[in-house]
Amino acid sequence: MAQVLVAGVDTSTQSTKVRVTDALTGRTVRFGQAKHPDGTSVSPDAWWDAFLAAAREAGGLDDVSALAVGGQQHGMVLLDGSGRVVRDALLWNDTRSAPQAAGLIEAFGAAPATDAERARGVTDGGDAAAATLRGKQRWVRAVGSSPVASYTLTKVAWTAEAEPDNARRIAAIALPHDWLSWRIAGFGPVAPGGDAHLDALFTDRSDASGTSYFDAAANVYRRDLLALALAPAYGGDASFGADGTVLAPAEAFDHAERITLPTVLGPHDAAPVKADPAIAGRDVPGGCILAPGGGDNAMASLGLGMGVGDVSISLGTSGVAAAIAENPTYDMTGAISGFADCTGHFLPLACTINGSRITDAGCHALGTDYDGLAELAAKSVPGAGGITLVPYFDGERTPNRPDATATLAGMTLANTTRENIARAFVEGLLCSQRDCLELVRALGVDVRRILLIGGGARSSAVRAYGPGILEHRITLPATDEYVAIGAARQAAWVLSGASEPPAWELAIEETLTGEPTPEVYAQYVGYRG
């Protein structure tokens, strides 16, 4: 029997990875990778160039029967009517839209709570704190999550306010994985007046659920929320009426209705278009099928084969704690994002802007490498002699402190040593993820298994102290590219036509255990407030 190949593409913040995979076993056949430019505002053309380079390094895609793209969430790609990018994409970690996020919450919170809302637990009261919480709660009820600077809608609102001419040019809004899938299908910018086939854009529930204008529970776009964000471009303020309707200028509503948004496919639906044979599937009868793709966290959970009760903690550029839930989750504090997963379930998720770069910063500050940082930390004790790092280097999303900076607290002349500082950096990373884990637990998620993945999981110090700080046994899957694996698994699922994804074996490197160290997290909580 001839080997059938599928490809999983991971277009992440830092690079594009292409994993050509055996559709039956899930084993890697070929692999390629190419870097993205640094920065939080990037031309999508750089992603396209990186994909082509990674595909070449992977030996080409001519023999690939199905392909899916997993991508960094929330990034805003604006296209005009000719399919040209209106402005550089704003990535998830670009926090310039923090004021707009606060403004969207304020707009939703201004009107008093109705009797029906009060019955559902929406906050009443007229002071500013009550109005802010009420706004967050209304957003959670509307789309599963309350806006923060990471989310796409806040970036649209920033564009409408800071660059109104660009906002008025928007003909389509895509996310990074949507845009790259569209390009792989052979579409792209055309001459003015030509048909750019914007209607061929497609996405999935997981990525759409991170925009703040898609309700994953009802599976519908909320174009009224897009109108709310676009209002400043049309010279008006927007608000949330007491009857639950969005109030905005008529021109904003008209524009929101005209914008092309990617078609949201089901978990194992084939896209209505196939890959351009010049890019993939040239040697495959019938060509290369395109699968829906998805957001990177949901794709990683698919790659890990996660089920209900599993929580993954991913230490990459960001830090993410994500759980699989059967039903929608509504965190009325707004701290947890109520996303969808790639299988038809839901993915309550807490994300920190600062992930493994925390230990990068520790290495830089102490003039050492990862092994050196671990060796120094091992000479300290739990709690780092009283020193705590609150690691909000680039601001923070969980908790929502976009303007924060990092602090080293608790230093004295006696405890300020390289060993204690090294330990504090590792403990700060793990405690920030414990914050996320506790938020997930607070929603009633019964945490049965914790899987630790990402580049930061390779740290011997993270492995040594993780079980104690998280106070839970940790399953350590073998180091691999789980977003790309999840994308490949989805591609194989769509290709098979089966009702369930293929059962690929997950290689477990080891199970980490350790004595609980609750005093470390308690010390951290005391300093981070």
Side-chain angles (χ1 to χ4, degrees):
M1 180 177 176
Q3 185 181 43
V4 177
L5 300 180
V6 294
V9 179
D10 173 10
T11 180
S12 71
T13 312
Q14 297 177 331
S15 66
T16 292
K17 301 161 188 173
V18 175
R19 185 184 195 266
V20 178
T21 305
D22 184 309
L24 182 63
T25 66
R27 294 196 181 106
T28 302
V29 175
R30 307 190 298 267
F31 183 81
Q33 180 173 358
K35 283 185 63 62
H36 293 169
D38 294 332
T40 63
S41 181
V42 175
S43 169
D45 288 338
W47 307 333
W48 179 241
D49 292 341
F51 164 73
L52 294 177
R56 284 194 298 271
E57 187 176 294
L61 303 174
D62 288 348
D63 53 355
V64 166
S65 296
L67 179 150
V69 179
Q72 53 176 307
Q73 290 190 263
H74 316 309
M76 178 187 72
V77 183
L78 305 178
L79 302 177
D80 66 14
S82 298
R84 287 180 167 78
V85 174
V86 170
R87 66 162 340 275
D88 282 357
L90 297 184
L91 306 192
W92 63 273
N93 54 353
D94 190 302
T95 59
R96 73 183 71 185
S97 61
Q100 285 71 33
L104 290 168
I105 292 169
E106 181 182 344
F108 260 36
T114 64
D115 290 341
E117 284 181 321
R118 282 192 290 271
R120 292 200 307 266
V122 173
T123 298
D124 205 357
D127 64 9
T132 296
L133 183 54
R134 184 164 58 247
K136 290 180 178 180
Q137 292 168 338
R138 283 172 171 159
W139 275 103
V140 169
R141 285 293 180 188
V143 292
S145 307
S146 179
V148 294
S150 299
Y151 294 172
T152 314
L153 186 70
T154 72
K155 301 176 191 304
V156 175
W158 177 87
T159 306
E161 188 171 328
E163 301 174 353
D165 289 343
N166 279 339
R168 290 190 289 269
R169 291 175 57 205
I170 299 171
I173 304 175
L175 300 169
H177 117 257
D178 313 337
W179 182 85
L180 188 59
S181 299
W182 181 70
R183 293 300 310 273
I184 291 170
F187 302 112
V190 297
D195 185 357
H197 295 284
L198 298 177
D199 58 349
L201 285 161
F202 62 90
T203 191
D204 87 310
R205 293 170 63 252
S206 73
D207 220 2
S209 67
T211 61
S212 283
Y213 50 81
F214 179 78
D215 178 358
N219 219 39
V220 295
Y221 282 117
R222 290 288 305 270
R223 291 181 180 271
D224 56 330
L225 303 182
L226 269 182
L228 185 77
L230 289 167
Y234 293 95
D237 294 325
S239 61
F240 185 80
D243 60 352
T245 58
V246 170
L247 308 175
E251 296 92 339
F253 278 106
D254 289 343
H255 189 178
E257 287 297 327
R258 294 195 310 271
I259 288 174
T260 298
L261 298 174
T263 300
V264 181
L265 302 178
H268 52 96
D269 290 343
V273 292
K274 292 186 177 181
D276 182 340
I279 298 166
R282 185 198 305 268
D283 299 337
V284 175
C288 176
I289 294 170
L290 293 179
D296 50 4
N297 295 299
M299 277 298 184
S301 72
L302 184 60
L304 289 164
M306 286 173 57
V308 175
D310 286 340
V311 176
S312 65
I313 294 180
S314 176
L315 301 179
T317 304
S318 60
V320 179
I324 302 295
E326 289 191 47
N327 300 306
T329 55
Y330 297 99
D331 174 22
M332 298 302 274
T333 71
I336 289 281
S337 301
F339 295 157
D341 81 341
C342 285
T343 69
H345 290 118
F346 292 85
L347 193 77
L349 178 152
C351 178
T352 63
I353 286 178
N354 301 278
S356 60
R357 291 179 300 173
I358 295 168
T359 48
D360 292 345
C363 291
H364 179 74
L366 294 170
T368 187
D369 56 15
Y370 296 125
D371 290 339
L373 190 75
E375 289 172 9
L376 286 168
K379 296 174 183 176
S380 181
V381 295
I387 296 178
T388 292
L389 173 71
V390 181
Y392 303 158
F393 288 97
D394 289 334
E396 194 44 83
R397 168 172 160 178
T398 306
N400 186 28
R401 301 179 186 178
D403 300 320
T405 55
T407 58
L408 269 173
M411 291 189 293
T412 67
L413 289 175
N415 70 8
T416 302
T417 66
R418 296 178 77 235
E419 292 80 5
N420 285 338
I421 291 172
R423 181 92 177 210
F425 269 83
V426 178
E427 290 180 344
L429 168 60
L430 287 164
C431 284
S432 71
Q433 298 314 298
R434 173 70 184 268
D435 275 348
C436 294
L437 183 64
E438 291 306 313
L439 289 168
V440 169
R441 278 199 179 108
L443 288 180
V445 174
D446 180 16
V447 179
R448 302 171 192 170
R449 184 173 65 152
I450 294 176
L451 300 102
L452 184 65
I453 61 171
R458 300 172 190 169
S459 163
S460 60
V462 166
R463 296 182 180 193
Y465 314 140
I469 291 174
L470 299 179
E471 297 186 65
H472 202 287
R473 183 174 58 185
I474 295 174
T475 299
L476 194 69
T479 300
D480 213 327
E481 302 294 346
Y482 286 103
V483 175
I485 291 172
R489 190 176 181 217
Q490 186 194 65
W493 186 10
V494 172
L495 184 65
S496 72
S499 59
E500 298 293 333
W504 291 351
E505 183 179 358
L506 176 66
I508 302 299
E509 185 175 321
E510 62 178 305
T511 299
L512 307 174
T513 59
E515 289 297 316
T517 54
E519 69 277 11
V520 176
Y521 184 59
Q523 179 176 296
Y524 177 85
V525 169
Y527 281 115
R528 68 113 162 91

